[in-house]
Structures are given as C-alpha cells and as structure tokens.
Amino acid sequence: MPSNHRILLVDDDPDIREALRDTLDDEGYSTIEARDGREALDYLRSHPAPPLILLDWNMAPMNGPQFMAEVAADPDLSKIPVILLTADARAPEKSKSARFAGYLMKPVDLNALFAFLARYCN
Amino acid sequence: MQFAPCANAARRQRYTALNVSGTASVVVRPSLRTLGNVAALAAVYVLVAKLGLMLNAVSQFATVVWAPTGISLAALLLLGYEMAVGVFVGAFVVNFWTGAPVTVALGLAVGNTLEAFLGAYAMRRFAGFQRSIESLRHVLVLIVPVALMSTLVSATIGVTSLALAGLVSGRAFWQTWRVWWIGDVLGDLVVAPLLLTHSPRRGPALGALDRKGKRIVEAFALAIFLVGASFAVFFKESNSVEHPFESPYLLFPLFIWAAVRFTLPGATLVTAIASAFAIWGTVRGLGPFARETLSDGLLDLQIFMGCAALTPLVVAGAISDRTRLEVEAAEIAARHEREDQFRKLVESAPDAIVIASSTGEIMLVNAQAESLFGYDRKELIGQNVDALIPERHREKHAEHRAGYAKNPKARPMGVGLELYGLRKDGREFPVEISLSPIESDGGLLVFTAIRDISDRKVAEQELNRLAREQAIRAAAEELSKKAERRFRILSQASRDLVEANLELSAVPEKIAQRIVEAIGDSCAVRLLTEDGDHLKLVSLHHANPEALGYLRELFGKEPERVEDTPGGLVVRTGEPFILTVGAQDVFRKAAPARLLPYLDRFGVYSLLTVPLRSRGTIIGSITVTRTSPGHPYTVEDQGLLEELSDRAGLAMYNARLHEDLKTAVQVRDDFLAIAGHELKTPLAAMMMQIQGIQRALQRDPARLAERAARAGRSALRLERLVNQLLDVSRITAGRLHLEPEPLNLSDLVKEVVNRFTEATTQPSAPISVHCDDQVNGRWDRLRVDQVVNNLVGNAVKYGQGKPVEVDLHGVDGQAVLRVVDHGIGIDAEHQQRIFQRFERAVAARDFGGLGLGLWISRQIVEASGGTIEVESTPGRGSTFTVRLPVNREGFASEGHHAE
C-alpha cells in the first residue's frame, strides 16, 4: 500500500474510528489511529508524514485545537493537510480558525470524504 | 390708731432721771459715777453755801442768798434721789464748819436734805418732772409746793435745831426762820429753774423751743438791755427811786421779753442774771435795796426778786405750753396727713390690701380687698385674716404668721406654692401675695398685698398647653425625621441590593457600604463557612484607611473560629450585641487579645453587632462601630441595623436561589449539549456503517456481516443512552421499581467483568476480580448489573489503562463491592458532586457519557437499602465501595470470604 494512502485518523470515540476505518479500508486506504492529539503527535514525530490527517475536535488529554497549535509550530508537520471532523454546526468557523484544509460534518458524508482523499492522496 | 410708720428707735429708748448715759457699762459705772456726783455735789454745796453765808448770815447759819437749796433740788431731780447723800454731807460739813455742834449740824443737814427730797418728790409726783422744767405745770408746782412749801420744812427743822442747841432764841428765832425760808425759796425759784432749764439733759420740747429762740441778735440786745437796766437799777447811789428808769420794775419788761421770746431757758437765765446783779449791787450798798443793814437790804431784795421771778417763770411756762401744744398739734396734723396719704395710697393700690396685726386681726382693708373677697369693709375690720383663707390652709397660715412676726421683712408669700383666697360666697381663687412689715404704735402690723391671678393662671395654663403642644409637635417632627431617615436608609439599601443584581458576592459589599454611610465609622460583614464553625470576613469598610488595613490584616486572611471572632457570640446566640458608653472596659475584657492593639490605637467608642439571617437561619453577622466619642448606639440604631441585616439576608437568600437556579440551568444546558453529542456520536458511526454497507452491497458483500454487526453495536450503545435517559426520567418521577430475586452477586460481578474483557477490542485495562464464592441475597438482577457495569466501566474509562481491581465480599449481612482503579482520580471537591444528576468530575468532552451513570447507580443502591461512596486521590485513582444489604432468603455465603 503506497504511503500516500496511509491516513492518520485522530478520534477518541472507538465507534467513529471503526466506522471510518471500515470505510477507508473499503476504499483502499489504510489508517493509523490515534485517540487524541498527543498520540497523533507522537506518531507524526516518529513516522513519515501521512498525506492527510482526519482530526476530531473534542478529545482528551490533547484536543484538536491544541494539536493544531503544536503542528503549526512544527515546520515539518505544518504542511500536512488536516481535515476537521466535527458534529458542531460551527465547523466552518472552527476550520478557519486553525487553518484546517477542510472539514467534514459528522455523520460523515462519504462522498465528501472521498473528495478530500482524492485531492490530497493521489 | 396710728398707722403711719414712726421712729420707733427713739421712742423705745427710755430716759430715766438717774441714768441716761445708755452706755454698755450701765451696771458698773453708776455707783462710781454716783459717788463722784455725790462728792461733787457736796463740794459745790459747801462752796456755794459758804459764799451765801459770807454775804450775810443771820444767826450765823441763815442767809437769804442760799443757792444750795436750788442746787440740791436740781441735783436730786437731774441725778436722782441718791444725790440726797451729797446734800446731807454738804449741809453737815458747811454747818459744822460754820460752827454748829455736830448734833446741830446733823439736824440742819437733815432739814436741808429733807427739803431737797420733798421738793424733788413733789416735782416728780405733781408735775411729772422728767428732764427739765418745760411747762406751766412744772412752773406752778415749782412755785407752790416746792419753793413755798418744802422750804418750810428746812427752815423749821434748821431753826428749831439751832434753837434746841440754844443758838437762837426768842425774836431771833422768827427772824432767822424768815431769812432761812426766803433764802431757800429764792434758791428754788432762781437757781433751780436756771439749772433745770439749762442742764444738758433738758427735754426735747425745751430743746425745740430753745432752738426756735436762737436769735443771736435779739439775745444780744436783750443782754445789753438787761445789763444796762441792772446797772441802772441796782448800782445807783441812792436807794430812793428818783427816776422811773431807776425803778426795779424796769426789769419786768425784760423778764417778759425773755419769757415770751426765749421761754423758760431765757426767763430763768434773765432772772438769775438780774438777781446776781441785784445781790451784787445790794451788797455794795447801792440800788433801791440798800438798807441800814445788808441783811435787811438783801431780805427786801430777795422778797422782791421772789415775786419778780414768778412772772417770767409763769409766763414762760404758759408760752412753753402753748408752743408745745402748737408743735404737737402740728405733729398730729402731720401725722393725720400721713395717715390720710397712706390710706389713699392703700385705696389707690391696684392690689387688694389687707393690713393685719401680727396675730391676724384685720386693721384696714381697701376697696379692692372688699370687692375681691366679697365682704363689706365693716365686716372685715376686727376679723381674723383666716376668714380670707381656705379652711385647709388655716393651720399652716397661723404657723407662718408666727414665723413672720419673728422675722418680719418684705417678701412674697409662699414662694413656689399655690396660694388661694376664699371669698365670702365660699369660692376660692388663686392669689399672689406679698408681705411687708409695718411698725406702728400698736406693734408689728403686716401689710399684705393680694392679687387675684385667676386670669394669669388661665393664661399660664394656656401657655403651658401651647408649650406642651409645641413639645409634642417637636417630638413628632423629630420622630418623623428619624422615621424619614430610617426609611431613606432602608430604601437606599433596598435600591443598592437591587443594584447588586442578585449577585451573591455583591450583597455584603453593598450593604456594608450603606451601613457605614448611615450609622458607623466601620462595618464588617462576616459569613459562616459551610462547616458552621468558622466566620469569614466578606466585606469590611472603615472610614480610616489605616484602621481598614489593620483590620484586614487581622481578620481578612483566614476564616476564623466562631468563638474567636467579635461577632461570634451573636452568631451563637442569635441575639444582637450592643456596646454603649461605659462598657468599654467590659468590652476590652471580652475582646480577643489580638484585638487589643487595635482598640488602643483606633478605639471603639460604641459597637453594635447583629446576626445576619437568611430565611431564619443565621448565616453570619454584621458589626458596626463608632470610633469617635459622642453618639453611642441606641436601640433605634440596633433596630435599623437589624432591619438592614434582614434585608441583606433576604437579598443573599434570593441571590443564592438565583445562583442555584442559574447553575441548574447551566447544568441542564450542558447536559443537553452532552446528550446531543453523545447521542449523535453512535448515530454518526451507525450512519457511516450504513453508508459503508450500501457501498459494500455494490462491491464486496462479504464485509456485509461484519459491518452490519458493528452498526448493531452502535445501535445498542444508542439504546443504552436512551435507557439511561429513561431511567433518569423514571427515577425523577419516582417510578423506579425493583424486582428482587435470589441472586449470587459473585456470579453477576464475574459476568459483568467478563463482558468487559471480552468486549473490549481496544487496548484496555487488565481487570482482576476477587470474589467470595457465594454472596447471596435478593436483588434486582438487571439493576444491580447496571450498577456494577457502570462502576467497572468508569474504572476502565478513567483508569488510564492501569489495572482495575474488583472485589466482592459478604460482611456482616452486607455485600461489599469495591471497584478500584489507579487512574486520574477525583478532586476532593468533586467527590460528593459526582453522585449528582448531570454531574461529572471532568470535562464532558474529554470522556464522553451523559454523566448520569453514578447518579443512577446511587439511586439504585439506595433504593435497595445500600450505600455507595468514593475515596479518591487525584492522580492516584479512585475506589468506589457499594454496600448492599443481603436479604435473608437464600443467603448462604457467610464464611466464604476469599482473601
């Protein structure tokens, strides 16, 4: 599997991760899962950069915005596109505030997800 | 009756014939003085008698010029009967000296003394002689019983004594007797009146006449004429009257002149002078009385002089009487006039006047008194003043009257007392009375001016009533001012509290500020802490910034134990404490020691502490002080402060309610947000799965089963959440029904734990289980499952992947389940809260879940008769312990404890 098909999935809810993992598997992508920003950062700093990060907003201990701040401060990481996953209706503002590449409303519209994948992973 | 005041002092002084010196040494000196007088009289007697005898003595012892008789009479009259001793001694000495044997001399002395005594006696007895010859009566008595008759005694005794001694006899007896008698008569008629009208003790009447006659020029003219006439008459060469101007009768007009113009003193003086010239001339053998022998001449002269002397005496006496009568009449007229003026004055006085004696007998009243008391004047005069006094005051009045008589002076009566008068018709009326003493001939009189003050009383009462009304109005105004101030303060306080806008922390600040402005220099608001043992200073105001800093330092740092705080007593008893003036010492003793430096430095003059109540419960205290002396706190201030405190308490209660409500709303809002998220998450997962299933249907049906199963699990999770919500609604509505059944709790616990270990596909915490084999009881299987599931789930969820221990033991009829994790733990402040509905210790987004699990668990455990509690150390993990009572039936696990 090409490395540009390995998506970093950051969400604290196992069901959500499972659903996304299943979906991405079905589409030929592999996933690396992290339960919060901290795990995600740990992974990023010890592995090649993934082509795309799907990031939940509310997590613990490190939540989405904190993760984004860390990433922004790291020139190696700041180029990786990050898609915001959220159920919040204010997603558009949130995505702008932290320079997200885009956002996906939960429940995720698969066509929108595939569009992002097509843009950043091919 | 004479009412006019008179010169009582002069009147009271009594003159006696003997002693008028009136000095303080009256008792001792008279004897010496009398002795001196006696000696002097005896000496003068001897001298003058010898002189008379030397001129011409008949039978050696008798002479017509015998002045001693007059001197003796005058001495006895002016100096007293004691002078008789002087007369006796003088007479004895002179006769003995002249040659009389002792017995004869004694007889002569007796006669002379007796004569003087009788003469003096007659003057006193018949003429009422006092100090001098002043009246015709005096003159007539002097002439007849004294000069003509008393002298008979002396002459008779004297000549008889001589005769008995054989010194006279026959014709010589009669001759001698005649000479003796005439000498004595002349002595009484010429010498005695001279002395008795010129003595320094002569009476005031004579003095007045004397003064009246002080006409120097006239007196001088009279003297010239007298001397001229005397020489012309008594010193002419021939004894025959050749010229009318040489006649002895020439003297008569001068005598009359003197008598008329200079009265008795003038008459006696002129007579004496003329007599002296006559004797002188006759002795020289000149004048109309020159005879062959001197004794014949002198005898004739003396007979002439005796007759001549009568005229001026009698005339002067008569004139004296008339003059005196005139003076007296004038005096009486003057007195009457004074009396009249006095009466008029009394009548015209504006007040009723009653003049009464010191015993209360009414002497005089005026018309005002008549009309005031309703009596006729005639009815009142002679009555006792008691008639004018109400019965009940009469006894006292008599006492006062007696007191007044002892110390009479003008003064108002009954100062400070209400005095009343009594009318004839029995009515009483208020009076004002002033008293003045009057000295009168009849003794002390009391002049009483009485004023009816009924009108004034009415006016006074009216004034009093007005004054009272004014006082009441002023008091009412003061009260209304106070009430207004109180209302203003309270309404401002209410406004402040409204401005505090239901914010709990702002209330004490606002109220303290208002209290300092209204009634104090400092104000401290303290609130009880939750444990109820400490008071925390929540607001402090002080007019003095330095004192404020000091108090902050002292009280502001830590909550203090109630008993260490100034307001502590009030909080314990619920009774206000007020420190007013004078209690400073007590206050110092009661105050905490660390407060003393503050008291020394800034002082507390007055202090007031009241409890702060919220819905009847004491929640703190408000203390207010005044530091500068002057206005100690009053009960009114206390009332005001209590009122303010109550308002603050109510405001705080409302604020607290408001905050509770706000919190409740916040919790609910948070819950809804969480619930929304929580419900949405499995939904999202489910929908993604379903989308995946749809795509898989098109491409790889083999994955269908797997993904459908996963979608089903999300659906289950969703169902659990919905069930929880339903549980909450059930429990809240009181519809949680337990269905107990025999149950081995061990099996249930193991089953739940197994579910976790099997179901957990994610990396999870290792769970170890230590259970007694049999922990039997009767419980609702599903509900207990729910509890265990919740606790184990939480332990896994918050356990940070560290081992979770679950153990279950049957102990003393209880099933004790402990679920221990070593995860993030729970802060102490959250340990109670987590059992509340919608509460959780950590941020919702961090861990997920509705935050209902522990609340539901607690409801189930408590409904089963058990307890649930937590012990936790943040960062070290938590231990939840559930104790469930074992319901007897089927329970057989005791003793099966496994360690």
Side-chain angles (χ1 to χ4, degrees), chain B residues 451-596:
Chain B
R451 185 170 292 176
D452 182 352
I453 54 170
S454 301
D455 292 347
R456 204 172 74 194
K457 279 271 169 190
V458 170
E460 267 174 18
Q461 279 165 2
E462 181 65 14
L463 268 179
N464 280 343
R465 194 180 60 76
L466 286 175
R468 265 201 309 278
E469 273 180 12
Q470 193 152 359
I472 290 168
R473 248 203 312 280
E477 267 170 30
E478 177 71 13
L479 266 179
S480 89
K481 251 188 229 160
K482 276 185 185 166
E484 189 190 316
R485 176 170 171 268
R486 188 186 167 101
F487 175 76
R488 204 179 57 240
I489 292 167
L490 288 175
S491 67
Q492 279 170 348
S494 297
R495 221 172 19 246
D496 289 345
L497 293 175
V498 169
E499 278 170 17
N501 207 8
L502 291 174
E503 219 174 289
L504 190 56
S505 59
V507 171
E509 193 63 20
K510 287 273 184 191
I511 205 80
Q513 199 175 336
R514 181 58 61 201
I515 287 170
V516 164
E517 281 167 21
I519 57 169
D521 295 323
S522 84
C523 178
V525 181
R526 292 182 170 83
L527 291 180
L528 275 172
T529 53
E530 276 179 24
D531 58 16
D533 293 335
H534 292 74
L535 278 168
K536 184 168 168 46
L537 185 68
V538 293
S539 182
L540 182 66
H541 279 254
H542 202 296
N544 178 352
E546 210 183 335
L548 181 66
Y550 203 100
L551 285 176
R552 281 239 165 86
E553 188 70 20
L554 208 56
F555 295 117
K557 293 195 160 166
E558 295 287 325
E560 296 168 289
R561 298 200 311 148
V562 166
E563 49 270 37
D564 295 344
T565 315
L569 183 71
V570 168
V571 169
R572 280 207 304 268
T573 62
E575 293 295 322
F577 173 80
I578 184 163
L579 169 75
T580 54
V581 190
Q584 267 79 2
D585 290 346
V586 180
F587 180 65
R588 278 183 75 89
K589 273 177 204 155
R594 70 215 156 88
L595 193 56
L596 292 181

Side-chain angles (χ1 to χ4, degrees), chain A residues 12-23 26-27 35 58-60 87 106-110 114, chain B residues 677 680-681 683-685 687-689 691-692 695-696 699 703 706-707 710 713-714 717 762-763 845-846:
Chain A
D12 64 341
D13 192 278
D15 288 357
I16 296 291
R17 288 200 303 275
E18 189 180 56
L20 281 170
R21 184 176 68 232
D22 288 348
T23 304
D26 290 351
E27 296 304 318
R35 283 180 294 187
N58 284 317
M59 294 172 292
K106 290 181 188 173
V108 175
D109 175 17
L110 295 188
F114 297 150
Chain B
H677 179 265
K680 221 165 173 182
T681 304
L683 259 181
M687 286 173 77
M688 282 193 284
Q689 294 292 2
Q691 284 182 74
R695 286 177 71 87
R699 292 192 299 196
R703 269 181 73 81
E706 189 189 343
R707 299 201 63 172
R710 288 173 178 172
R713 212 165 56 232
S714 286
R717 181 175 160 192
Q762 301 297 322
R845 308 288 177 188
D846 296 344

